[in-house]
Amino acid sequence: MLNKFLFKKIDNSSLVVFRIIFGLLCFLESVGAIFTGWIKRTLVEPEFTFSFIGLEWLQPLPGDWMYVYYCIMGCFGLLIMLGYKYRMSMITFTIMWSCTYFMQKASYNNHYYLLILLSALMVFLPANKYASIDAKQNPEIKSNAMPSWCKWVFVVQLFILYTYASIAKTYPDWLDLTFPKILMAGKINYPIIGGFLQNDFMPYLVGYGGLLFDGLIIPLLLFKRTRKYAFFASIFFHLFNAVVFQVGVFPFLSLAFSLFFFEPKTIKNIFLKKKTFYEAEEIVVPSYKKPMLTIFSIYFIIQIALPLRHHFIEDNVLFTEEGHRMSWRMMLRSKQGIAVYTIQDKATKETQVINLDHYLSTKQKRMVSTKPDVIWQFAQRLKDDFKAKGQDIAVYVNCRISINGRPYKQLVDPKIDIANVKWDPFRHSDWLLPSK
């Protein structure tokens, strides 16, 4: 039964078309970062970036070399789209994109993380077997079919993503529309549609429409009776997000996933009319079945476990953000912070308030005022900076934050030397004060 479910050969039109769209979106995401000024603001202008803890050595290339980096990455996107040297192109893009994700936190976005996962999955998929330069140059690899598991890895990944996104919205400030109202109020200055977005109905559409869409879209796409309606709902939902929330290529990538829910013959007839449709339904169990099942089982167990980790960490994840990243907690809260960093020379006991403008960009200043892991990282950087000048210092942080417009609360214990505490990614940081 399992062999039939995973290893039955099916037509590969959906994967082939997805590869073409995916490669194009990788190209657009890369070059778009150049022309929108994202690279300049995020990777070129800052003196340094806050990379993921443990990867502090992963910093942007000096000068304007990050523009070259993204140009090269965009070229690999095009090679993926064309299916040229597919495996090498896919591996290289995955590594390069992963590096850019882990080297900075100032522009964290869930679809950046999703792009890593999809790129890594695509490395293992036979997406270049048709409509590719590889297949044209090497006709022996050409094929109209793929194992059924190639479809289901996407379906399961999407089900995990959307399910956790829906669950994350079932908290008071979302259900009573506190945050959706804040979200819409921030769009008032949009040209043409800004006034319309202030309609009393919009928070309900964003709040309950978003929660229901995330929770139901995958099951509705899986069933033939509801598939067409779910697809049209997806078009509206994702185009709305693209226009109103401006979340890069994610809406278009999400629409491209619909390819795996429709009948392969439908996809073939729309996009690949000259292609011979595969319908033999042969079952071919590969010799690498056991290691493949082991690898994918571990992968999906990790995907299921990561979004649950904040339940095992003390306090509210909305307040501490411990367990927030890589958990599909998308656009859930508005957070403001005020932080004062004071250093004390351990030898002379003299104190000095740090001028954040001397160290940080505007985005980075927001981060060191709201995000505990970045607060810790900046304290370590200050300690190292003054150590290089011959001073041994303590770093005290007086930080208060506001969630969804509520009164400010103390986030960090101002009496603790943050530069002298160790970071534990699996436990609650005791120098963070309770949210209640």
Side-chain angles (χ1 to χ4, degrees):
M1 184 68 177
L2 182 64
N3 286 343
K4 182 178 180 180
F5 179 71
L6 294 178
F7 301 110
K8 181 181 73 173
K9 293 278 189 173
I10 60 175
D11 187 86
N12 64 358
S13 296
S14 56
L15 180 60
V16 171
V17 177
F18 182 79
R19 184 208 80 224
I20 295 170
I21 296 174
F22 182 76
L24 176 62
L25 292 176
C26 289
F27 167 76
L28 293 175
E29 182 75 17
S30 301
V31 299
I34 299 173
F35 293 110
T36 59
W38 185 91
I39 293 176
K40 181 180 180 181
R41 294 189 303 271
T42 309
L43 301 174
V44 176
E45 289 181 342
E47 182 181 338
F48 64 93
T49 61
F50 290 106
S51 55
F52 277 59
I53 294 175
L55 298 174
E56 286 78 10
W57 53 271
L58 194 58
Q59 289 289 307
L61 299 173
D64 292 331
W65 280 102
M66 287 309 297
Y67 294 109
V68 178
Y69 185 99
Y70 267 73
C71 282
I72 294 172
M73 198 158 60
C75 289
F76 280 112
L78 288 178
L79 294 181
I80 293 165
M81 180 182 74
L82 297 172
Y84 180 69
K85 303 290 184 184
Y86 171 75
R87 203 76 59 193
M88 180 272 293
S89 299
M90 200 68 258
I91 291 172
T92 307
F93 180 85
T94 303
I95 294 171
M96 293 184 74
W97 183 263
S98 299
C99 286
T100 62
Y101 174 80
F102 289 115
M103 76 170 55
Q104 66 84 30
K105 298 176 186 176
S107 293
Y108 178 83
N109 194 314
N110 277 279
H111 87 258
Y112 297 164
Y113 172 49
L114 177 62
L115 207 49
I116 291 178
L117 300 180
L118 294 179
S119 298
L121 290 174
M122 289 287 283
V123 168
F124 298 96
L125 301 181
N128 63 331
K129 300 292 187 180
Y130 190 87
S132 70
I133 295 176
D134 286 349
K136 187 174 183 179
Q137 292 182 340
N138 302 288
E140 65 272 13
I141 74 166
K142 190 173 182 178
S143 174
N144 294 330
M146 67 180 183
S148 183
W149 65 263
C150 295
K151 162 189 171 179
W152 288 105
V153 291
F154 288 107
V155 174
V156 174
Q157 179 67 73
L158 285 176
F159 181 73
I160 293 171
L161 184 162
Y162 280 113
T163 300
Y164 277 121
S166 180
I167 292 172
K169 291 180 174 66
T170 57
Y171 83 101
D173 280 5
W174 190 279
L175 296 176
D176 68 12
L177 303 180
T178 295
F179 179 64
K181 288 178 181 177
I182 293 173
L183 207 54
M184 289 297 96
K187 313 301 178 186
I188 192 170
N189 293 322
Y190 272 24
I192 303 174
I193 63 171
F196 173 75
L197 295 177
Q198 306 314 304
N199 189 291
D200 291 341
F201 173 72
M202 293 309 297
Y204 289 92
L205 177 66
V206 171
Y208 288 99
L211 190 154
L212 291 172
F213 179 88
D214 289 345
L216 298 175
I217 188 59
I218 300 304
L220 292 178
L221 282 171
L222 282 171
F223 289 102
K224 188 174 182 179
R225 285 187 176 183
T226 55
R227 184 175 298 143
K228 189 180 295 185
Y229 303 106
F231 177 63
F232 287 126
S234 293
I235 293 175
F236 172 79
F237 179 82
H238 290 302
L239 291 183
F240 180 88
N241 284 343
V243 173
V244 176
F245 300 120
Q246 300 176 6
V247 285
V249 302
F250 177 69
F252 308 102
L253 187 58
S254 297
L255 284 174
F257 284 129
S258 302
L259 292 163
F260 296 103
F261 293 92
F262 285 91
E263 294 297 326
K265 198 162 194 174
T266 302
I267 304 302
K268 178 260 174 194
N269 289 339
I270 294 174
F271 296 102
L272 301 168
K273 294 181 179 180
K274 295 182 179 180
K275 179 177 179 289
T276 302
F277 182 71
Y278 177 87
E279 48 190 344
E281 297 189 350
E282 182 184 8
I283 297 175
V284 179
V285 181
S287 58
Y288 51 82
K289 171 187 172 181
K290 286 187 177 179
M292 188 198 82
L293 290 179
T294 300
I295 291 171
F296 277 112
S297 296
I298 293 172
Y299 171 81
F300 283 116
I301 288 171
I302 293 173
Q303 283 297 299
I304 293 170
L306 276 178
L308 294 174
R309 69 191 189 280
H310 72 88
H311 293 291
F312 301 94
I313 301 175
E314 187 180 333
D315 216 329
N316 188 345
V317 63
L318 289 168
F319 188 75
T320 67
E321 296 206 9
E322 293 174 312
H324 171 76
R325 291 189 180 89
M326 304 181 182
S327 297
W328 310 119
R329 303 180 59 79
M330 299 179 273
M331 292 193 301
L332 287 177
R333 47 87 184 109
S334 170
K335 195 173 188 181
Q336 288 81 38
I338 303 170
V340 176
Y341 285 73
T342 303
I343 64 167
Q344 182 181 60
D345 189 305
K346 291 183 179 180
T348 66
K349 303 302 179 183
E350 292 182 1
T351 62
Q352 173 188 340
V353 175
I354 294 296
N355 187 337
L356 299 182
D357 291 331
H358 293 168
Y359 291 88
L360 306 169
S361 68
T362 301
K363 273 192 172 184
Q364 289 176 327
K365 283 189 290 185
R366 287 200 292 268
M367 293 173 67
V368 301
S369 303
T370 57
K371 300 182 181 297
D373 58 330
V374 181
I375 290 172
W376 181 86
Q377 284 180 288
F378 188 49
Q380 307 308 309
R381 187 169 187 88
L382 288 173
K383 181 178 181 179
D384 292 341
D385 185 47
F386 279 86
K387 184 178 180 180
K389 301 174 184 176
Q391 286 182 267
D392 186 16
I393 64 165
V395 181
Y396 301 98
V397 184
N398 188 347
C399 178
R400 295 179 297 125
I401 64 170
S402 168
I403 306 291
N404 294 339
R406 286 187 168 78
Y408 281 81
K409 290 184 178 181
Q410 199 80 31
L411 175 65
V412 177
D413 188 336
K415 298 178 182 179
I416 292 181
D417 173 13
I418 306 300
N420 197 41
V421 298
K422 292 184 178 180
W423 180 262
D424 189 337
F426 303 107
R427 296 180 57 190
H428 174 65
S429 298
D430 295 333
W431 45 272
L432 294 176
L433 297 175
S435 60
K436 296 181 181 179

